[in-house]
Amino acid sequence: MRTDEPAFQTIPSLGKMLRARQISSVELAKYCLDRLARLGPRLHSVAALMPSRALQEAKAADAELAAGKDRGPLHGIPYGAKDLFAARGAPTTWGAAPYRRQVFDSDATVVRRLHDAGAVLVAKLAMIELAGGMGYNEAGASLTGACRTPWSLDHWSGGSSSGSAASVSAGLVPFAIGSETDGSIMNPASYCGVTGLRPTYGLVSRHGAMALSWTLDKVGPFCRSAQDADLVLNAMAGRDPLDRTSVDTPARNAAPSERKTWRIGVPAHVTDKVQPEVRHNFEAALRVLGTMGTVEHIALPDFPYNAMIGAVISGEAGSAFRDIIEDGRVQSLASPLGRRGGYSSLTISAVDYIDAMRRRPPLRSAFAKIFETVDVLVGPTYSTVSYPIDLPFDKAYPGTDDGPFITACNLAGIPAISVPSGFGHLGLPTGLMIAGPAFAEPDIVALAARFQRQTAFHHKRPPVAVS
Amino acid sequence: MTTRKRFLEHAAIAAAVVSTLAKADLAAAAPAAKRGPSAVALALARWLQRTLPRARLSNSLTEKIAGDIDDGFAVNAAFRNKSNAHLPEPDFLFVASEDIPISPQPRSELR
């Protein structure tokens, strides 16, 4: 086997190799375990390797394929899971010192579903402590230290699904799963130059995943391409009796449907406070998208987004972690902000929380109205490239502002995909975010896939991956 | 990225703006970004310090928590003096029977 060849194959390519017996699932799992062990520590992207389970699952996958049983596109494909998902018998630290010895005796629903689809869990991946729920202002806010983007070891991977994005980017695993409350898939996907898909709220079960905010948390994949993300999402989606917010999904087609033309909306002011290269790359992306349909500017609905997200996350995270806030264990977190952030959440009023929640249905309606006139909304995923590891976030790029786009979409529960859109400051990647109506994942994936057929950014390999 | 970090940054700005616009309303709660926490926030933080003995909140940490509480007042300010009369009920998860799934319908029917 050549040293890095399978590392950057798509899921269908690896599946073809497996079915042609060019490689076995066991070989593939060992290959990923080796790369995770060699390159993971440089990136700080790995929370725990799972060789025993991986080889057991891989052997079973090989045996089934040999016997003619094929579980589908993920059969025999290795993957990693953010350390916020329970995996039977393995440490599940939630990236946080108070939970460093936590072990669950069952799998999260998504881990079980991926197992049922034949995927092979090779590692738990690093994350920002408690998914950032207590607040943080630095890359080092994690039990495993500051996770690096494979594009520069001096720069952050993004968070909170840090290790998931960094590990896919560096070719340590073909795909990984992460979660988003408000940006935790989009941000690291952008900073690591990979494809990240945040599904509609309720499409993927959160059972067995750390709860940060019950009304905002979503589970989604990081992959090499939009098409891969669709394959992984298909295996994870659907109603789960163990998560009462989850909903049924009709049979979805792994090859997303194509529209002839797209009506593409751009939120007003979306590039007002972004880095010049981010603006340049977004404008170039718009020119590509412009060949696929019409582009028009749209005003985002006028809501107090920061107050809404603040009240909801403070209220729900304060309740979720009340025990470690009250007994002081939260003060063992790595981030100075995280050590104290939970205390003020105990003083958020119920009326403010409910007022925030009462604004979410009208926000949902406002987005539904927007999606009567456009099929998707697009913008730069983030206003900057990755932050330097050694600077507090608020000191990294003065004058930039991410704006309300991501927060608005999260409050509305609508899906989005981030795909690489080029490179900016110091050669670090930038992202293009495509958001769509609730449960319109096939549409946003289709547009992202079309964008990726006309660009090559997702084929670029970061320096760490080939060293 | 959360969210909370971004919120805290924005909240401080929002609080400052709101305190300018509605000084009467927020006189007691107006955050003093450079001057230390407000008296109300400090009182609340000290109440937390007193009522959470296991947390062993130091005086300096308590003062920082008071600053965060001031940021939280910005949430309240953002919702204040706005008519809620036409806002719907919030979406909550509670149902009266465990036998009734909250979202039993297929996804296609939800669109």
Side-chain angles (χ1 to χ4, degrees), chain A residues 42-278:
Chain A
R42 294 180 64 191
L43 297 166
H44 294 256
S45 69
V46 178
L49 293 177
M50 302 185 65
S52 168
R53 176 174 178 154
L55 294 178
Q56 192 183 354
E57 288 184 336
K59 272 181 199 165
D62 284 336
E64 285 185 348
L65 270 189
K69 180 173 181 182
D70 190 335
R71 291 174 183 260
L74 302 188
H75 192 123
I77 307 289
Y79 78 100
K82 183 177 183 178
D83 200 24
L84 142 160
F85 297 102
R88 181 177 20 86
T92 300
T93 70
W94 298 346
Y99 300 100
R100 64 167 70 238
R101 291 185 184 82
Q102 178 171 253
V103 177
F104 292 98
D105 59 6
S106 61
D107 287 341
T109 293
V110 286
V111 171
R112 183 174 50 75
R113 285 191 173 168
L114 289 170
H115 171 83
D116 292 346
V120 174
L121 178 59
V122 290
K124 303 292 289 295
L125 300 173
M127 60 181 282
I128 292 294
E129 52 195 4
L130 306 181
M134 297 295 108
Y136 67 114
N137 190 34
E138 60 286 291
S142 173
L143 187 57
T144 44
C147 186
R148 272 77 167 164
T149 175
W151 295 91
S152 161
L153 293 181
D154 297 327
H155 289 78
W156 187 41
S157 59
S160 69
S161 305
S162 312
S164 300
S167 297
V168 171
S169 174
L172 312 188
V173 284
F175 75 91
I177 52 173
S179 68
E180 171 154 330
T181 303
D182 183 26
S184 287
I185 290 175
M186 295 294 103
N187 179 250
S190 179
Y191 286 4
C192 290
V194 297
T195 300
L197 174 57
R198 183 197 69 229
T200 305
Y201 177 80
L203 183 57
V204 179
S205 168
R206 293 93 42 87
H207 174 72
M210 184 200 88
L212 169 58
S213 173
W214 294 281
T215 67
L216 287 166
D217 295 342
K218 282 86 58 184
V219 173
F222 292 90
C223 297
R224 308 207 179 296
S225 71
Q227 193 190 7
D228 278 10
D230 196 55
L231 294 174
V232 177
L233 181 63
N234 271 327
M236 301 195 301
R239 178 158 168 76
D240 173 15
L242 300 173
D243 179 349
R244 303 191 77 205
T245 65
S246 62
V247 294
D248 259 334
T249 56
R252 300 173 75 250
N253 188 342
S257 61
E258 287 283 1
R259 288 169 194 260
K260 280 191 178 150
T261 61
W262 293 82
R263 297 171 302 166
I264 296 162
V266 180
H269 309 298
V270 80
T271 57
D272 279 4
K273 292 186 177 174
V274 305
Q275 288 178 324
E277 299 95 329
V278 171

Side-chain angles (χ1 to χ4, degrees), chain A residues 259-264 287-294 447 450-452 454:
Chain A
R259 288 169 194 260
K260 280 191 178 150
T261 61
W262 293 82
R263 297 171 302 166
I264 296 162
R287 285 194 290 278
V288 174
L289 293 173
T291 65
M292 304 169 194
T294 59
L447 183 60
R450 201 162 157 188
F451 178 78
Q452 289 185 324
Q454 295 194 28

Side-chain angles (χ1 to χ4, degrees), chain B residues 27-94:
Chain B
K34 303 290 182 195
R35 292 168 305 195
S38 68
V40 169
L42 201 53
L44 267 173
R46 285 185 178 144
W47 170 75
L48 286 172
Q49 184 185 35
R50 200 170 55 248
T51 56
L52 300 176
R54 287 185 299 157
R56 296 174 187 226
L57 299 175
S58 66
N59 288 336
S60 65
L61 191 60
T62 300
E63 189 157 333
K64 286 177 179 158
I65 290 167
D68 296 341
I69 291 172
D70 271 329
D71 293 339
F73 289 150
V75 169
N76 179 274
F79 295 135
R80 213 185 273 186
N81 297 324
K82 301 221 168 46
S83 172
N84 287 351
H86 301 296
L87 289 176
E89 289 184 27
D91 282 354
F92 284 131
L93 304 180
F94 180 77

Side-chain angles (χ1 to χ4, degrees), chain A residues 325-345:
Chain A
I325 296 168
E326 291 189 343
D327 68 17
R329 278 181 292 158
V330 75
Q331 291 170 55
S332 63
L333 293 182
S335 169
L337 189 57
R339 286 174 213 149
R340 64 169 210 261
Y343 292 100
S344 58
S345 72

Side-chain angles (χ1 to χ4, degrees), chain A residues 317-397:
Chain A
S319 171
F321 294 107
R322 187 168 191 150
D323 57 343
I324 65 165
I325 296 168
E326 291 189 343
D327 68 17
R329 278 181 292 158
V330 75
Q331 291 170 55
S332 63
L333 293 182
S335 169
L337 189 57
R339 286 174 213 149
R340 64 169 210 261
Y343 292 100
S344 58
S345 72
L346 299 181
T347 66
I348 289 284
S349 84
V351 176
D352 286 341
Y353 172 79
I354 291 171
D355 266 3
M357 290 298 288
R358 287 183 73 191
R359 281 167 170 78
R360 293 180 68 183
L363 176 62
R364 183 175 56 201
S365 303
F367 268 107
K369 204 165 178 58
I370 286 173
F371 288 123
E372 287 173 6
T373 59
V374 294
D375 301 311
V376 294
L377 289 170
V378 302
T381 309
Y382 272 84
S383 61
T384 71
V385 297
S386 167
Y387 301 150
I389 285 286
D390 56 355
L391 279 183
F393 297 158
D394 56 1
K395 301 278 187 290
Y397 299 119

